[in-house]
Amino acid sequence: MTQLASTPFSTLLQRLRTVVRPEVLPSIPAGLITGVVGAMRAISYASLIFSGPLAAFLPAGLGMALFSTSIISAVVAVLSTLPGLIATPLAAPTAIVALLAADLAEALSTQVTGDALLATVLAAIALSSLVTGLLLLVLGVFKLGERIRVVPYPVIGGFMAGTGWLLVKGFVQVCTDLPLTVRTLPQLVEPQQQLCWLPGLGFALLLLLLTRRFDQPWVLPVSLLGCTGLFYLGLWASHMPLSVAREQGLLLGPFPDTNGGLWQPLTLSMLGQVDWGAIAAQSGTMLTIAFVSLLSLLLSNSSIELVADQDMDLSREMQAVGIGNLASGLGGGMVGSQAMPSTLLAYDMGAPFRMTGLITTLPAIAVLVVGAAFLAYLPKALLGCLLLYLGLSLLLQWFYRAYFQLPLMDYLAVWVTVVVIDAVGFLQGVAAGFGLTVLTFMYQYSHVDVAKEEATGAGLRSNLDRTPEQQQRLATGGEQIYLLELQGFLFFGTATYLMHKVSDRLQTATEAEAGPPPLRYVVLDFRQVVGLDSSAVLIFSKLLRQAHRQSFTLVFTNLSATLAAQLQRGDGFDEALDYCHQFPDLDRGLEWCEQQLLGLGEVAAPPASPIQTQLSQLFLTQPQAERFMPYLEPQSLPACHYIFRRGEAVSDLYFVESGQISVLLDAGECPKRLKTLFGGGIVGEMRFFGKVPISTSVVTGQPSQVHRLSQAAFSRMNEDDPDLAQALQAHIISMLCDSLIRREEQLRVTR
């Protein structure tokens, strides 16, 4: 015993840690503090729901809220994918639950007895929890969590701001038992009523100041304790007895004797008193609660991922919260979800353990056991200030800070959502904000240029090797080819803009005396189009008819089978028409248009001269060409023969005497043609100098005659005929420079 007394405290603590599991010691204080805050919020929420005409049933409401807090915390603590996650009833769904209860109380105030009214309200709250739990569980089981994060940011802002406004109104209701309306304003400014709500307003402003001045998780619980002390200090300084304070409505209670405890689960006898018709009339509100709970979970989950620096399985979290709500509903409780502030508090206190969530349930259970006698000493101002603090925080974020962060139309959507929520209803407000956001997006997106690139055949050519004469003809007549590389999702706004561009180009060619020649081909590239709607299909149908009337041809490239079928169903595409053509990629579409302009029809290899003649025309003199020939090995290749395959380390150089050879970029299922060569062309120059292209292949398109220059032959040429080697190297350098210039010109034209 003496030895124990002389043991330093640190040594004793270390010994305890060897006996107790490591997570127990930090989990106890973290769980108790978060549990006390959760119990206080549950009491505030119950006071919000069971106020006004339902104030007489506040003890049952307190039991319902505390039971919900404990059961949801316990279930989510066990089932969540993130240890240390805290779940409780939240402000946003609770605000809708309060509207549900108030509507039922108003509808049944003259029709049923008090017990029947309580049974109907509790049954509606429990049913909303069951609906919410079932929705979340189904979404989680079918792994739809990641597919529903589609709510626009301004709608989220309007939803949060609307929740904040309802909480502000709830603060007034809790503190004064009067609703915040234009009609009740004269009553609320009376001195007697000011005494009820002014302390809560002061406490809420103090909470806002302290939590923003000191960004620590312990500030809120300590501030609430301090506000309680200030309240009772004010009563002592004013010499006001507790009985007088209770009579003036400054304290909760007095509560009737609750023989069975605070928690009153729904029994068969109570279910027999429920007005199911009145509940059915509130089905829209219950669906709103489920939707708002889902939205709250999405927002909380994203925030908790940032706080914990861990990715969470949203579908599994939906299952956990769904089961928690089902358990709460079966016990007659309200909805709940992940609580980001409490989870942050647990992590900041070094307690990211499941035990923390389980210990969080203890304060709520303790209050249920102690009963209403303890709660009768809670100031209404303290409970109201929690509601007002949460409400003002949301309004400050979405009415003030959002003004500097959001575009004007998005900020307007926040206001529209809040106004409709207050005037009509929560679900209608969210729908109004969603509609305004969608209209704004459609208006803005319709002004985005649907054509990512715009060019003509004079500047942008196919990758087919052309003779100097053909290049000159295309330079002068290529304006008759008009290219539009489309992008994004095409709907009526962007598709109409596309039709206007084509019409303007046609009108420019018709009216200007010295302008571009008449338009003959409009090339529409769909490589970056992700989809189109029925209105866009109609626009393409009009464009096809316009092509027939004004004698130009529509050329579709990179058109997927899905988009082609969609256009064909709406008469926006028909390959059977001689003024409508389709090609697998833009390069081949341009090639076809060029062939038509040149009057050449299908591409065919031009008549080829002997290789020795070609060499003398390209970079050698006639005597040099005669000396060059012995270094070459002639080869006859069939069509579709791969000279080089992607990634092959083959370092030979090939001179094309006749036939057709293409260089392909193997980037996906459909290789892109980089170049097509005929007689006089050279392939393999990069490999020849040790740079192996990792994504290109070289294949014959027709039976071809080629001549191979191997590395060994080139080495002999360097030793025996260095002038030939130098001439070859100079020619290859010139080829590479011409290729770079051509690519630069293409980029300039399509920029």
Side-chain angles (χ1 to χ4, degrees):
M1 189 71 179
T2 305
Q3 183 181 3
L4 180 61
S6 61
T7 301
F9 178 76
S10 58
T11 305
L12 178 61
L13 188 60
Q14 291 176 0
R15 291 182 178 179
L16 285 174
R17 287 173 176 169
T18 62
V19 177
V20 183
R21 289 176 61 88
E23 63 264 26
V24 170
L25 293 179
S27 294
I28 291 176
L32 290 177
I33 292 176
T34 56
V36 168
V37 174
M40 291 293 294
R41 285 187 174 176
I43 295 169
S44 297
Y45 295 155
S47 302
L48 171 63
I49 298 169
F50 289 86
S51 59
L54 298 174
F57 307 115
L58 180 56
L62 293 170
M64 178 270 298
L66 291 166
F67 164 76
S68 305
T69 299
S70 59
I71 190 65
I72 292 173
S73 279
V75 171
V76 175
V78 173
L79 299 181
S80 173
T81 59
L82 183 69
L85 184 68
I86 310 298
T88 62
L90 298 183
T94 300
I96 316 302
V97 172
L99 290 178
L100 171 67
D103 290 344
L104 285 173
E106 182 179 357
L108 301 176
S109 59
T110 60
Q111 301 177 21
V112 299
T113 63
D115 291 341
L117 176 58
L118 175 61
T120 302
V121 171
L122 290 178
I125 293 174
L127 187 58
S128 66
S129 298
L130 293 173
V131 171
T132 301
L134 184 61
L135 172 65
L136 295 177
L137 183 59
V138 169
L139 291 175
V141 167
F142 288 97
K143 301 187 182 302
L144 300 176
E146 298 298 335
R147 300 185 181 183
I148 59 176
R149 299 190 185 192
V150 295
V151 180
Y153 191 65
V155 178
I156 293 175
F159 155 72
M160 300 301 291
T163 299
W165 175 242
L166 292 181
L167 290 175
V168 170
K169 296 174 70 174
F171 154 76
V172 176
Q173 181 85 33
V174 167
C175 292
T176 66
D177 289 328
L178 291 173
L180 178 58
T181 63
V182 176
R183 183 177 55 83
T184 60
L185 281 179
Q187 296 174 261
L188 293 173
V189 297
E190 293 178 356
Q192 181 64 31
Q193 293 296 342
Q194 290 184 28
L195 186 62
C196 294
W197 60 264
L198 275 177
L201 174 61
F203 291 160
L205 295 177
L206 181 62
L207 287 181
L208 277 175
L209 178 63
L210 292 176
T211 52
R212 278 153 179 75
R213 176 63 179 84
F214 305 100
D215 188 16
Q216 297 294 331
W218 51 263
V219 172
L220 182 60
V222 171
S223 300
L224 290 174
L225 184 62
C227 290
T228 305
L230 287 175
F231 177 82
Y232 278 100
L233 181 63
L235 291 184
W236 175 78
S238 62
H239 305 286
M240 180 182 293
L242 291 179
S243 57
V244 176
R246 185 168 287 112
E247 289 176 1
Q248 294 187 1
L250 301 181
L251 298 173
L252 285 181
F255 297 122
D257 184 22
T258 54
N259 296 325
L262 286 175
W263 179 39
Q264 297 184 23
L266 287 167
T267 62
L268 291 177
S269 60
M270 294 179 67
L271 291 175
Q273 301 179 63
V274 172
D275 189 332
W276 296 106
I279 292 180
Q282 297 296 321
S283 57
T285 305
M286 287 189 285
L287 290 176
T288 303
I289 293 172
F291 171 76
V292 171
S293 298
L294 172 61
L295 189 56
S296 297
L297 189 149
L298 295 176
L299 296 175
S300 300
N301 196 83
S302 299
S303 301
I304 291 171
E305 285 180 330
L306 295 176
V307 169
D309 194 22
Q310 294 186 35
D311 291 331
M312 299 167 63
D313 188 336
L314 182 56
S315 294
R316 290 184 60 186
E317 291 301 319
M318 285 182 169
Q319 295 180 50
V321 177
I323 294 173
N325 279 283
L326 288 175
S328 177
L330 291 174
M334 60 190 293
V335 297
S337 187
Q338 300 167 331
M340 194 274 287
S342 297
T343 303
L344 173 61
L345 178 59
Y347 269 74
D348 283 353
M349 295 185 70
F353 309 113
R354 298 192 187 278
M355 186 172 292
T356 305
L358 295 174
I359 294 176
T360 298
T361 66
L362 297 181
I365 295 174
V367 176
L368 285 174
V369 172
V370 172
F374 160 75
L375 298 176
Y377 292 94
L378 286 177
K380 282 187 177 181
L382 182 68
L383 305 178
C385 84
L386 263 177
L387 299 175
L388 185 59
Y389 162 74
L390 295 172
L392 292 179
S393 299
L394 293 173
L395 293 178
L396 182 65
Q397 171 64 36
W398 294 104
F399 278 168
Y400 175 69
R401 293 177 183 169
Y403 176 79
F404 303 100
Q405 299 171 347
L406 299 179
L408 179 60
M409 290 304 297
D410 289 349
Y411 184 69
L412 178 61
V414 173
W415 271 97
V416 168
T417 303
V418 175
V419 170
V420 178
I421 284 175
D422 185 58
V424 183
F426 222 101
L427 194 59
Q428 294 89 336
V430 171
F434 199 101
L436 181 59
T437 303
V438 170
L439 289 175
T440 302
F441 166 77
M442 292 172 61
Y443 174 78
Q444 294 175 341
Y445 192 77
S446 65
H447 286 72
V448 175
D449 196 343
V450 67
K452 179 186 178 184
E453 308 292 355
E454 183 177 354
T456 68
L460 186 64
R461 310 272 179 79
S462 70
N463 290 318
L464 190 68
D465 205 22
R466 299 287 186 186
T467 65
E469 179 189 356
Q470 291 173 345
Q471 293 179 19
Q472 181 60 37
R473 290 177 60 186
L474 290 176
T476 56
E479 292 287 343
Q480 298 175 81
I481 303 173
Y482 182 47
L483 165 67
L484 293 169
E485 293 189 54
L486 309 180
Q487 64 177 343
F489 185 86
L490 306 182
F491 64 102
F492 68 89
T494 54
T496 301
Y497 185 60
L498 165 65
M499 189 167 184
H500 288 163
K501 292 180 77 73
V502 175
S503 298
D504 291 345
R505 176 66 177 80
L506 286 167
Q507 186 174 2
T508 301
T510 302
E511 294 179 354
E513 295 181 1
L519 191 62
R520 290 181 57 185
Y521 306 98
V522 174
V523 182
L524 302 175
D525 185 64
F526 282 74
R527 184 172 62 88
Q528 298 191 54
V529 174
V530 297
L532 46 84
D533 68 357
S534 56
S535 300
V537 173
L538 177 62
I539 296 298
F540 280 100
S541 176
K542 293 180 178 179
L543 195 59
L544 198 59
R545 292 196 296 271
Q546 186 180 25
H548 178 61
R549 290 194 309 269
Q550 298 189 246
S551 301
F552 66 87
T553 300
L554 281 179
V555 178
F556 294 82
T557 64
N558 284 304
L559 186 62
S560 68
T562 301
L563 294 180
Q566 191 174 353
L567 286 171
Q568 200 159 16
R569 284 195 300 269
D571 297 326
F573 171 75
D574 188 354
E575 275 196 291
L577 303 174
D578 57 1
Y579 50 89
C580 179
H581 294 270
Q582 179 187 7
F583 295 93
D585 56 42
L586 176 60
D587 182 50
R588 288 171 174 83
L590 283 173
E591 174 194 298
W592 182 86
C593 295
E594 292 169 356
Q595 292 294 107
Q596 304 307 307
L597 284 180
L598 296 172
L600 298 178
E602 296 296 328
V603 175
S609 55
I611 186 64
Q612 183 173 328
T613 303
Q614 294 178 15
L615 292 175
S616 63
Q617 293 173 348
L618 290 173
F619 63 95
L620 297 174
T621 63
Q622 185 63 36
Q624 286 178 322
E626 292 178 1
R627 289 189 289 122
F628 198 91
M629 290 300 297
Y631 295 103
L632 300 179
E633 176 188 342
Q635 293 182 349
S636 296
L637 304 178
C640 300
H641 174 82
Y642 278 86
I643 300 176
F644 301 112
R645 289 188 180 272
R646 174 180 177 178
E648 282 185 345
V650 181
S651 57
D652 297 335
L653 189 67
Y654 287 83
F655 296 83
V656 183
E657 182 176 10
S658 62
Q660 176 183 316
I661 293 178
S662 294
V663 181
L664 306 178
L665 176 64
D666 294 336
E669 297 181 359
C670 183
K672 179 180 179 181
R673 184 181 65 176
L674 297 181
K675 193 173 184 181
T676 293
L677 305 169
F678 302 105
I682 300 177
V683 293
E685 63 275 9
M686 292 186 65
R687 288 177 170 85
F688 192 69
F689 289 104
K691 301 295 183 181
V692 180
I694 61 174
S695 299
T696 58
S697 300
V698 178
V699 62
T700 59
Q702 300 173 4
S704 303
Q705 182 71 29
V706 299
H707 295 261
R708 182 172 72 97
L709 177 65
S710 66
Q711 287 289 339
F714 184 65
S715 297
R716 295 197 311 271
M717 184 186 297
N718 269 312
E719 295 178 1
D720 300 339
D721 295 293
D723 61 318
L724 301 182
Q726 292 176 2
L728 174 61
Q729 290 172 333
H731 179 61
I732 291 176
I733 291 173
S734 176
M735 286 173 51
L736 294 175
C737 290
D738 290 343
S739 178
L740 288 175
I741 293 172
R742 185 163 174 263
R743 297 299 177 196
E744 181 183 2
E745 178 66 17
Q746 288 180 342
L747 290 175
R748 184 189 65 79
V749 171
T750 60
R751 186 170 51 196

